[in-house]
Amino acid sequence: MSRTPRRLAAAVGALLALALLGAALLAMVELRIPADPWRARIAAALADALGCRVALVGRLVLLSGPRPGVDAASVSVYECPAADGARVALEGVTVRARLWPLLRGEARGVEASAQRAEVAVPRQLRARPAAPHAARSGPVIDVAHVRIASLTASLPRADDAPLRIAIDALEASAPADAPTAVDARGTFRAEPWRIALTGPPLGALRDGTAETRIQATASYAGAELEARGAVRRNPLAVDADVSLRTPAAERLVTALGGSAAPLGALALRAGIAWSGRRAALTALELASEAIALKGSARIDWAGERPALDVDAQASRLDAAALARWQAAPDDAPRPLAATIERVAAALNRADVKLELAIGTVENGPVAARDLALAARLSGGRLVAAGSGVVDAAPGELRVELDARGPLAVDAQATVKRLPRETLGRAEGVAALDPRVGALTATLRARGPDAARLLRNAQTRLVATDLRLALPIAGERIEARLRTAELDARAQRSLRAKAAGTLGGQPVTLDVRGASVAALVDGKPWPVRVRVRLADARLDARGEIATESGERHARLAVDFAATRLDRLTALLPRAPLPALPAALRGGVDIGGEAWHVAADSLAVGGSRGEGAVRSARKIAAGPAPLRISLALANLDADELVASLPARAAPAPGAARARPPADLDLALDARRATARGIALDALSLRSGMRGGRITAAPFAFGASGARVEGALDADLSDEIPRYGLKATATALDVARLAAPWRSGESRCTPAGFRRRARRAGGT
């Protein structure tokens, strides 16, 4: 009997030793044990640790050894209170932890890895309060290292398609009582990126600590981003200070899918506050080559529509650098009506309040300073007012847009005392030496939709105290207009009016032409011009069309003047006779050439028809005028007698420029010169530099036929003439009859002397 207890004790000791040996072997040797029977228990433990729902699909194996764990084919994590709607899917997951803390119910030294992961971020993040016992129910968890070989993140965008970013590698650690750290890197659009995040201990996140501190840095395309702040729960809120720096902003813009020229360095600092459906951007500071700006912005999604409030001050703005930020234009630009519809829809989607001030604008088409803009958009109605100084000229702007229906636009801009340097920047305007006292532009339109809004548009441009130096016939003639107006309506004819003086003579101008719609469509349009200058009038009617890419005008012209010499101020180099004049014909203007054809021409008693043509090309230099006249009667005596006396040049006066180059073809059935009746007069001459050389002429006089050549030099203050002529069947007595009767100021002796001096017969 004494051996039995000893044998029993030995057997129990052997069993205990065997059990301890088995436990030691399990702790030392790694075994893979199928865990399907415990799948639900393992999923519940993970859900309790993470505070989210967990699903295990496919292979599930328990791992033994000094670092036991789980090997799973697929793990899905979803319905997390901190990010409702987010989802994480993992494949090829292995999780291990230290053995002895596990025996105490603690997960310490956890190491996890995954071959592939997908993370979906919802369009809206909203926190859901955790269960009251969440802070006490979870076990201690300490993550030493997490590695994911490949990860794909889906981020929400404005359109339906999410933005997918591939992450090449992600490593993280989340000790129980030390900051959580995450490091991710990858490539996006051929540019490498990296993000490092440091946050609160995992236990604080899991237990729902009231506030946790976070720090994040990111680099991409040469840019560096840094954020420091705090995250609060119940409700979820974020307060952070953010800074962004890049030495070459164009590299970042290009990498993000934009198109930009060299933009230079950029630095941004701001405070970000987000809570529920409200967000704010405070202490904003932006410094770049294009702009130096400070301000703040707030947005609220709690109301019927988002409300945005922006207050910004820019000490400087570089217009040339800012223009380089513009993205490349669309290959297929939208029609104007479609663009208006999109703008109208946008105006009905938000309420906006904007206060913007700009100190100076540099490197722009105009110099500007002290710009201010105040705008308010509420319920689809926008009211904006602005002011500033443009090229030393003060200006004001007022705009009202109503997108609630029907659509309505009312805008007006006024600029005062515009300097000539500003106006001269427009192509072809600098030569006019323009000056304007005030310029006002007005736009009004109303319609049930964008198409009818454009059809009903009314535009008016008014200039007061306008001064121009017009180049006319080689001279600069001053025009002073009290008012000049342009009135344009989409479905009505354009109308321009002006009143003032031209060359010191009173002038009025009235032009009516195409509608705005015809101009936009490129169709031919009718035009009517009325000019009153002194006692002269000009009426023109016709059509303007686009031919071979150039504007072409064909007009019927009716001109009449009581006395031509009253237009001398307009044509100071042209000796105009003190005679009435009338012209009816047509004008053809195409490109840089023009042609005037007179079906009926009368100057005093001289009557007939004629044409003037100019083939002048600005790029090729001046070309001579080509004048052809076919007259029924030419009264040279009347024309000469009515010409103004030629004044002697003042001592030291600048030498007058020679007349313009021209080619003249003159034919007259009848003519009177020096009291002599002529018939079949013909003259062909070309003037170059004020000189006429060997211009052939012919005429009949008193039954004789005279032919010869004319030389003239009009380039000097005192003109010189030379004449060579031959006559057949000359009746001298008949030819001298006008002198004997006293009808001419010339005498036969004088005539003979002039003839001999000229070398003629």
Side-chain angles (χ1 to χ4, degrees), residues 134-500:
R136 301 185 298 272
S137 61
V140 175
I141 184 168
D142 175 85
V143 179
H145 185 260
V146 175
R147 177 177 175 80
I148 300 176
S150 175
L151 186 148
T152 301
S154 299
L155 306 179
R157 292 197 295 187
D159 52 13
D160 295 334
L163 175 64
R164 298 179 65 85
I165 299 178
I167 301 175
D168 298 337
L170 183 145
E171 297 187 15
S173 63
D177 301 321
T180 300
V182 178
D183 192 312
R185 55 188 177 275
T187 302
F188 180 66
R189 290 179 175 166
E191 287 281 1
W193 61 267
R194 184 168 186 172
I195 297 176
L197 173 67
T198 302
L202 189 61
L205 290 176
R206 177 177 57 84
D207 296 339
T209 303
E211 181 175 298
T212 55
R213 306 295 299 179
I214 59 171
Q215 178 178 343
T217 60
S219 62
Y220 177 64
E224 300 288 338
L225 175 68
E226 183 176 353
R228 298 172 181 267
V231 177
R232 298 188 302 273
R233 296 184 61 184
N234 301 327
L236 182 63
V238 177
D239 287 301
D241 293 327
V242 178
S243 65
L244 172 67
R245 298 179 303 277
T246 174
E250 67 276 7
R251 180 182 171 189
L252 178 62
V253 173
T254 303
L256 293 176
S259 175
L263 305 175
L266 181 144
L268 171 68
R269 295 173 59 87
I272 297 177
W274 172 58
S275 176
R277 300 180 65 83
R278 293 179 174 85
L281 198 65
T282 60
L284 170 65
E285 295 183 9
L286 173 63
S288 70
E289 180 184 349
I291 191 171
L293 181 142
K294 295 182 179 181
S296 62
R298 293 173 177 82
I299 187 168
D300 190 340
W301 292 277
E304 180 181 353
R305 56 171 60 89
L308 176 65
D309 190 341
V310 179
D311 187 353
Q313 304 85 37
S315 59
R316 65 169 182 83
L317 186 148
D318 191 315
L322 189 66
R324 296 198 295 266
W325 283 81
Q326 297 179 355
D330 296 337
D331 293 336
R334 297 184 180 90
L336 181 57
T339 301
I340 294 176
E341 295 286 0
R342 290 171 61 88
V343 172
L347 293 178
N348 282 289
R349 285 198 289 262
D351 293 338
V352 179
K353 181 181 179 182
L354 172 65
E355 298 284 344
L356 176 63
I358 301 176
T360 59
V361 177
E362 306 168 353
N363 300 322
V366 295
R369 59 179 174 84
D370 300 334
L371 303 182
L373 176 65
R376 187 175 185 87
L377 172 63
S378 179
R381 184 172 183 267
L382 172 66
V383 179
S387 62
V389 179
V390 179
D391 273 353
E396 297 179 351
L397 171 69
R398 178 185 57 80
V399 178
E400 293 186 14
L401 302 177
D402 196 336
R404 296 170 297 183
L407 302 177
V409 179
D410 189 346
Q412 179 174 299
T414 301
V415 181
K416 299 179 180 179
R417 300 187 302 277
L418 269 172
R420 66 186 68 180
E421 293 81 9
T422 301
L423 299 169
R425 290 188 178 95
E427 182 179 358
V429 176
L432 303 180
D433 190 21
R435 283 163 287 178
V436 177
L439 187 65
T440 301
T442 304
L443 171 64
R444 290 186 174 90
R446 186 179 180 89
D449 52 44
R452 278 176 280 189
L453 179 81
L454 291 174
R455 287 198 293 268
N456 297 331
Q458 302 177 23
T459 304
R460 191 165 183 255
L461 185 66
V462 179
T464 58
D465 192 16
L466 174 63
R467 300 185 182 185
L468 302 171
L470 303 178
I472 300 177
E475 298 290 339
R476 298 180 67 82
I477 309 302
E478 184 182 39
R480 293 190 174 189
L481 304 179
R482 297 185 303 275
T483 60
E485 303 178 13
L486 173 64
D487 194 349
R489 301 188 181 188
Q491 298 302 314
R492 298 185 182 181
S493 297
L494 294 171
R495 184 173 185 182
K497 298 188 299 181

Side-chain angles (χ1 to χ4, degrees), residues 6-89:
R6 288 197 297 271
R7 291 176 178 176
L8 182 59
V12 172
L15 290 174
L16 289 174
L18 184 60
L20 291 174
L21 179 61
L25 288 175
L26 287 175
M28 295 175 60
V29 179
E30 179 178 315
L31 299 177
R32 299 177 63 84
I33 305 171
D36 286 336
W38 304 288
R39 183 183 298 271
R41 185 177 299 178
I42 295 173
L46 290 174
D48 189 36
L50 298 175
C52 307
R53 297 191 64 179
V54 177
L56 303 174
V57 180
R59 182 188 73 253
L60 183 63
V61 176
L62 295 179
L63 305 175
S64 66
R67 300 185 62 80
V70 178
D71 182 9
S74 175
V75 179
S76 296
V77 181
Y78 55 99
E79 293 187 10
C80 298
D84 190 14
R87 184 179 181 87
V88 179

